[in-house]
Amino acid sequence: MTLNDEEKHQKRMQIKKAMIDEKVAKATEERGVLIVLSGPGKGKSSSGFGTIIRALGHGYKAAVVQFIKGTWDCGERNFIQERCPEVPFIVMGSGFTWETQNKEQDREAAQQAWQQTKVLLQDESIHLVLLDELTYILKYGYIDAEEVYEALRNRPREQSVIITGRGAPVPLKELADTVSMIDDKKHAFRGGIKARKGVEW
Amino acid sequence: MTLNDEEKHQKRMQIKKAMIDEKVAKATEERGVLIVLSGPGKGKSSSGFGTIIRALGHGYKAAVVQFIKGTWDCGERNFIQERCPEVPFIVMGSGFTWETQNKEQDREAAQQAWQQTKVLLQDESIHLVLLDELTYILKYGYIDAEEVYEALRNRPREQSVIITGRGAPVPLKELADTVSMIDDKKHAFRGGIKARKGVEW
């Protein structure tokens, strides 16, 4: 007996469906997850914000802390603040560290943002918290990494957290349930194209 | 002369700022970009949707085509359709191909979505178009890849396009200005945790 193209496709898809169904059946634990999005490629913060609207789209409460881009014009912040005023949105007061060039000022701003973040990480009503660009704050030592890991471990069981930024520390990745490393294979910027409003920021 | 910690930091940041400023100065071409987000890791579609709200947050017009998740409940679609009714949102009619197991039905649904997509790719008023999960449609040959590349090449100069999905074909990556490959270092699913509503979908 020979199978025609349509039958072959159906058979392949049946096998694929069975494999996927089996994997799905094995994943039974229900709880919030810690997701780390790191690496040099484009897509970390935007993925965090895309997941925020995913949560909102199901009627869940979500919150955002922006640790770095505080002083920059930023489309995703404009959008959430204008259209989703119910979303707690904390912005670290200074800018990128190579813009301010003032360690003390940055450290203070980071500490302030972190104190507000800790409150979010204890709030059972919040389904998803985005800690955008937190890794840089850890890297510069502006907040105590152990204190951060402790707060993440002790958060409400149903709460998920997304942390973005280059150079995620190893203990953070170990603590995480999901780690995506975004590789920069090609970037318009290196091709001489100016960073695009409404795409890059 | 020895520098204290604060001075050292300032000096490092000055050098960093100068390097970044120099790179920024070299990128002078202004036009829309083609971005491909591929690889097995979590974060491709969510990054696409995050960039959609980035564009909207600057007052730009944006559009979405969902090529695969048509029959699934999906937070980001709920959100955009409810809160951003001005965004053209095209959904491919069937579901994941291993759910339908019917090649002809999937091909027809893909063709229909593609015909609507072509109209978006000719619309100068649209700043950003997200073609979510387009790569699977190309992989299964449901639409002609050459026709897709042609439409991408001929789109309005100011329009940016984001294409997501595993297994992006080489010619698509060559055509792209920016390519991020998202690596799956760790996934909650493999750790036995059920896919989380408001995070994974």
Side-chain angles (χ1 to χ4, degrees), chain A residues 29 42 46-47 54 76 83 86 127 158 173-174 176 178 180-181 183 186 188 192 194 196-197, chain B residues 29 42 46-47 54 76 83 86 127 158 173-174 176 178 180-181 183 186 188 192 194 196-197:
Chain A
E29 194 185 346
K42 176 188 167 47
S46 50
S47 175
R54 182 172 279 176
E76 58 271 39
R83 300 222 204 179
E86 80 278 17
H127 187 73
E158 300 297 323
K173 291 191 274 190
E174 284 173 355
T178 295
S180 288
M181 291 299 283
D183 225 20
K186 198 176 183 181
K194 205 170 162 182
R196 190 110 182 117
K197 184 175 174 177
Chain B
E29 194 183 346
K42 177 187 168 47
S46 50
S47 174
R54 183 172 279 175
E76 58 271 40
R83 300 223 204 177
E86 80 278 19
H127 187 73
E158 300 297 323
K173 291 190 275 191
E174 285 173 355
T178 295
S180 287
M181 291 298 283
D183 225 19
K186 199 175 182 183
K194 206 169 161 183
R196 189 112 183 118
K197 185 175 173 178

Side-chain angles (χ1 to χ4, degrees), chain B residues 16-29:
Chain B
K16 189 159 190 169
K17 179 165 162 53
M19 277 171 56
I20 289 169
D21 287 349
E22 194 193 330
K23 281 189 197 166
V24 168
K26 274 188 188 159
T28 53
E29 194 183 346

Side-chain angles (χ1 to χ4, degrees), chain A residues 5-6 9-10 12-14 16-17 20-21 23-24 26-33 35 37 41-51 53-58 60 69 73-76 78-80 82-86 97-99 101-104 106-107 127-128 139-140 142 157-160 162 173-189 191-201, chain B residues 5-6 9-10 12-14 16-17 20-21 23-24 26-33 35 37 41-51 53-58 60 69 73-76 78-80 82-86 97-99 101-104 106-107 127-128 139-140 142 157-160 173-189 191-201:
Chain A
D5 179 57
E6 179 67 38
H9 176 81
Q10 197 175 342
R12 270 200 307 271
M13 291 301 115
Q14 274 170 359
K16 189 159 190 170
K17 179 165 163 53
I20 290 169
D21 287 349
K23 280 189 200 166
V24 168
K26 274 187 188 159
T28 54
E29 194 185 346
E30 298 203 40
R31 63 166 173 85
V33 288
I35 296 171
L37 303 172
K42 176 188 167 47
K44 299 180 290 293
S45 294
S46 50
S47 175
F49 278 92
T51 314
I53 69 163
R54 182 172 279 176
L56 295 174
H58 288 296
Y60 291 122
K69 290 169 189 155
D73 182 21
C74 164
E76 58 271 39
N78 297 347
F79 180 92
I80 297 284
E82 281 164 25
R83 300 222 204 179
C84 313
E86 80 278 17
T97 47
W98 56 87
E99 291 289 344
Q101 299 173 14
N102 184 326
K103 206 168 178 174
E104 249 337 289
D106 284 345
R107 185 193 299 276
H127 187 73
L128 177 64
K139 183 188 165 194
Y140 285 111
Y142 290 163
R157 184 179 162 81
E158 300 297 323
Q159 186 181 83
S160 294
I162 299 179
K173 291 191 274 190
E174 284 173 355
L175 197 61
D177 302 293
T178 295
V179 178
S180 288
M181 291 299 283
I182 305 191
D183 225 20
D184 176 12
K185 293 289 182 191
K186 198 176 183 181
H187 202 294
F189 187 59
I193 302 170
K194 205 170 162 182
R196 190 110 182 117
K197 184 175 174 177
V199 177
E200 311 287 343
W201 48 283
Chain B
D5 180 56
E6 179 67 40
H9 175 81
Q10 198 177 340
R12 270 201 307 271
M13 292 300 117
Q14 275 170 357
K16 189 159 190 169
K17 179 165 162 53
I20 289 169
D21 287 349
K23 281 189 197 166
V24 168
K26 274 188 188 159
T28 53
E29 194 183 346
E30 297 204 39
R31 62 167 173 86
V33 289
I35 296 170
L37 303 172
K42 177 187 168 47
K44 300 179 289 293
S45 294
S46 50
S47 174
F49 278 92
T51 314
I53 69 164
R54 183 172 279 175
L56 295 174
H58 287 297
Y60 291 122
K69 290 168 190 157
D73 182 22
C74 163
E76 58 271 40
N78 298 347
F79 180 93
I80 297 284
E82 281 164 25
R83 300 223 204 177
C84 313
E86 80 278 19
T97 48
W98 56 87
E99 290 289 344
Q101 301 174 12
N102 184 326
K103 206 169 178 173
E104 249 337 290
D106 283 345
R107 185 192 300 278
H127 187 73
L128 176 65
K139 183 188 164 194
Y140 285 111
Y142 290 163
R157 186 181 160 82
E158 300 297 323
Q159 187 181 82
S160 293
K173 291 190 275 191
E174 285 173 355
L175 197 61
D177 301 293
T178 295
V179 178
S180 287
M181 291 298 283
I182 305 190
D183 225 19
D184 176 13
K185 293 289 182 192
K186 199 175 182 183
H187 201 294
F189 187 59
I193 302 170
K194 206 169 161 183
R196 189 112 183 118
K197 185 175 173 178
V199 177
E200 312 285 343
W201 48 283

Side-chain angles (χ1 to χ4, degrees), chain B residues 68-121:
Chain B
I68 291 285
K69 290 168 190 157
T71 56
W72 291 17
D73 182 22
C74 163
E76 58 271 40
R77 184 171 65 237
N78 298 347
F79 180 93
I80 297 284
Q81 289 183 336
E82 281 164 25
R83 300 223 204 177
C84 313
E86 80 278 19
V87 172
F89 203 115
I90 295 164
V91 178
M92 189 178 125
S94 65
F96 251 101
T97 48
W98 56 87
E99 290 289 344
T100 64
Q101 301 174 12
N102 184 326
K103 206 169 178 173
E104 249 337 290
Q105 184 189 320
D106 283 345
R107 185 192 300 278
E108 218 167 278
Q111 278 296 337
Q112 233 164 31
W114 172 242
Q115 294 311 317
Q116 296 176 273
T117 302
K118 282 201 289 189
V119 178
L120 299 174
L121 293 177

